[in-house]
Amino acid sequence: MRVGRQSNNASAHRISKDSQGAHAVMPLQAIATERLYQQVARQIADLIRSGEWQPGERLPPERDLSATLGVSRPTVREAMVALELAQLVEVRSGAGIYVRDSASDITASLQNGIDTGPSPFDLIAARRVIEGEIAAIAAARITKSELKAIADAIRKMERDIESGQQAISNHEDADLMFHLRLAEATGNTVLSSLVEPLWEGMRKPMFAAISRRVSLPDNARRAAREHWAVHACLANGDATGARDAMHAHLDTVRRMLLKD
């Protein structure tokens, strides 16, 4: 079965004519989009409630669910995390995903007013487009002081990793500092204003949960090395190399998010 785009409803109105030609107000429903991973999570939750999978039973592998539902594996991965956040399933490392004995209502969980955040894979894809170009533009015009500030951010990240303080939960995070300083080096205030909102999505429950699941923080040292690769291209004024290095860095993050 293929998951289509669904919508939630909210009250709205339109004007139409009655039989005498007079105008009358008629109720309509405003359309609000729902994230694709939420649609998939809701469909799987409905199957669990209908008895397709019993408490304690293992769900099919993500690749099988992806083929059956007609969506990408990243979308299924995100749906599983949403179900885990809703306490409907339990992810057992190396063993698979199991229906919990006391399952909650996914509908209530998805509509309880808490924004679990954007699709992590959409977020990384957007960062790849925007920050790849940021790196290329910065390489063509970066100053010595800006280059030093970026290097200082990477060194701070390395110190924070060693001391166990590296995290994306606050604005002092050196990883974020690296990306912000790189954007500022473009000299384009619009581009520099785009980076932090992208990172706000990484602070949402969805990204945080999927990061914990694949132990993404454990790969911070690799991220620091990849930051140095971007820095080397900046120092050489190599715009193409800087773009490619940033793409490679974010491609690594995407692969990590799909790690079994």
Side-chain angles (χ1 to χ4, degrees):
M1 66 191 79
R2 181 172 293 275
V3 176
R5 296 280 180 181
Q6 298 176 352
S7 63
N8 295 324
N9 295 325
S11 295
H13 295 85
R14 71 173 173 87
I15 295 177
S16 65
K17 291 184 178 180
D18 60 20
S19 57
Q20 276 71 46
H23 289 90
V25 176
M26 296 184 64
L28 286 177
Q29 301 298 316
I31 297 173
T33 60
E34 183 180 42
R35 292 170 179 138
L36 185 56
Y37 76 77
Q38 292 175 323
Q39 296 179 44
V40 174
R42 197 183 305 280
Q43 186 168 147
I44 293 173
D46 288 343
L47 290 171
I48 290 173
R49 280 198 298 269
S50 71
E52 182 71 22
W53 297 294
Q54 299 296 320
E57 187 175 352
R58 181 180 176 180
L59 294 180
E62 289 178 353
R63 285 185 177 85
D64 293 351
L65 287 171
S66 171
T68 301
L69 292 166
V71 297
S72 69
R73 189 182 169 207
T75 297
V76 173
R77 169 64 55 91
E78 292 162 350
M80 292 298 106
V81 173
L83 292 169
E84 183 182 16
L85 288 171
Q87 300 184 355
L88 192 64
V89 302
E90 176 187 2
V91 178
R92 300 177 188 173
S93 180
I97 302 172
Y98 292 79
V99 179
R100 290 175 63 96
D101 291 334
S102 55
S104 65
D105 185 347
I106 185 68
T107 301
S109 298
L110 292 177
Q111 294 180 338
N112 63 3
I114 298 175
D115 182 9
T116 55
S119 153
F121 292 94
D122 284 355
L123 192 59
I124 294 301
R127 287 188 58 198
R128 192 181 190 277
V129 171
I130 295 169
E131 295 193 55
E133 292 311 303
I134 282 174
I137 294 169
R141 65 170 311 281
I142 197 164
T143 65
K144 289 182 179 180
S145 62
E146 289 168 335
L147 197 61
K148 180 181 181 302
I150 291 170
D152 288 345
I154 303 173
R155 293 189 186 100
K156 181 181 185 302
M157 181 178 176
E158 291 173 329
R159 291 194 302 271
D160 290 347
I161 292 169
E162 294 306 317
S163 63
Q165 296 178 356
Q166 197 267 333
I168 66 169
S169 59
N170 62 71
H171 293 266
E172 296 301 316
D173 173 44
D175 194 353
L176 170 59
M177 191 181 298
F178 164 83
H179 290 277
L180 284 175
R181 289 180 178 178
L182 178 58
E184 289 165 359
T186 65
N188 185 313
T189 57
V190 174
L191 285 175
S192 61
S193 72
L194 294 176
V195 174
E196 192 154 6
L198 289 171
W199 277 68
E200 287 300 325
M202 295 170 62
R203 296 187 178 104
K204 295 290 187 179
M206 171 60 64
F207 198 99
I210 199 170
S211 295
R212 287 193 302 271
R213 177 176 171 182
V214 300
S215 302
L216 189 61
D218 294 344
N219 292 272
R221 288 182 180 83
R222 178 171 183 169
R225 292 195 300 271
E226 291 172 349
H227 286 182
W228 280 120
V230 175
H231 183 273
C233 294
L234 297 173
N236 292 329
D238 181 359
T240 299
R243 181 190 294 112
D244 290 345
M246 182 61 74
H247 285 172
H249 170 50
L250 293 170
D251 288 345
T252 296
V253 177
R254 187 183 189 279
R255 286 194 299 273
M256 291 304 303
L257 295 181
L258 271 176
K259 185 182 70 174
D260 290 320

